[in-house]
Amino acid sequence: MTVVPTLRVARPTDNLDALLPFYRDGLGLRILYRFADHDGFDGIMLGSRGAPYHFEFTKAHGHIAGRSPTQDNLLVFYLPLVEEWQAAVDRLNAAGFPAVPAFNAYWDQQGRTFEDPDGYRVVIQNAAWTA
């Protein structure tokens, strides 16, 4: 099969609006879809048009999602061009999200780690994925 599947990363949150500055302004993703009170859930999907992935964050009415269970729950974006990598790092900083020390020091060697308002972490890695 030569079709690349679309990956949706879905997770709960307690505050959808708090995540927007991180994922939209910091990571530069676009709002693809937003819904309210769909069977007791509100949600937002963010991504880049045409990309084979997007993120869905949901808030269940009457449910507390809580924060990330560990500092090693990561999403990793590989940006091999230093100019694009630096632009992504600068965009997150400008959105009010300074880099944090990685739980696993490996990620500090060629990347920077950032924490979203729910405590989940995103690594911007200045390398190419070569698997």
Side-chain angles (χ1 to χ4, degrees):
M1 179 181 273
T2 59
V3 176
V4 175
T6 300
L7 172 69
R8 176 183 291 181
V9 177
R11 75 166 173 82
T13 183
D14 292 322
N15 191 337
L16 292 169
D17 291 329
L19 294 179
L20 281 177
F22 185 87
Y23 289 92
R24 183 192 56 206
D25 306 333
L27 285 180
L29 301 176
R30 297 177 57 188
I31 296 173
L32 301 174
Y33 185 71
R34 190 169 196 161
F35 58 90
D37 201 18
H38 180 266
D39 293 331
F41 287 84
D42 299 333
I44 190 164
M45 293 179 202
L46 297 116
S48 298
R49 296 226 184 267
Y53 65 87
H54 61 271
F55 302 101
E56 177 184 28
F57 301 101
T58 58
K59 167 70 178 129
H61 300 187
H63 176 76
I64 297 173
R67 294 182 54 78
S68 170
T70 74
Q71 293 179 331
D72 209 26
N73 284 68
L74 304 174
L75 295 171
V76 181
F77 287 92
Y78 287 85
L79 298 174
L81 299 177
V82 71
E83 298 83 11
E84 289 182 14
W85 177 82
Q86 190 62 59
V89 169
D90 292 345
R91 198 172 44 248
L92 279 153
N93 283 316
F97 299 96
V100 298
F103 178 77
N104 178 340
Y106 168 82
W107 296 113
D108 287 335
Q109 293 173 20
Q110 290 182 273
R112 297 290 178 273
T113 302
F114 299 88
E115 189 172 282
D116 81 7
D118 290 338
Y120 287 86
R121 292 182 170 202
V122 172
V123 177
I124 306 299
Q125 184 78 344
N126 185 210
W129 176 251
T130 57

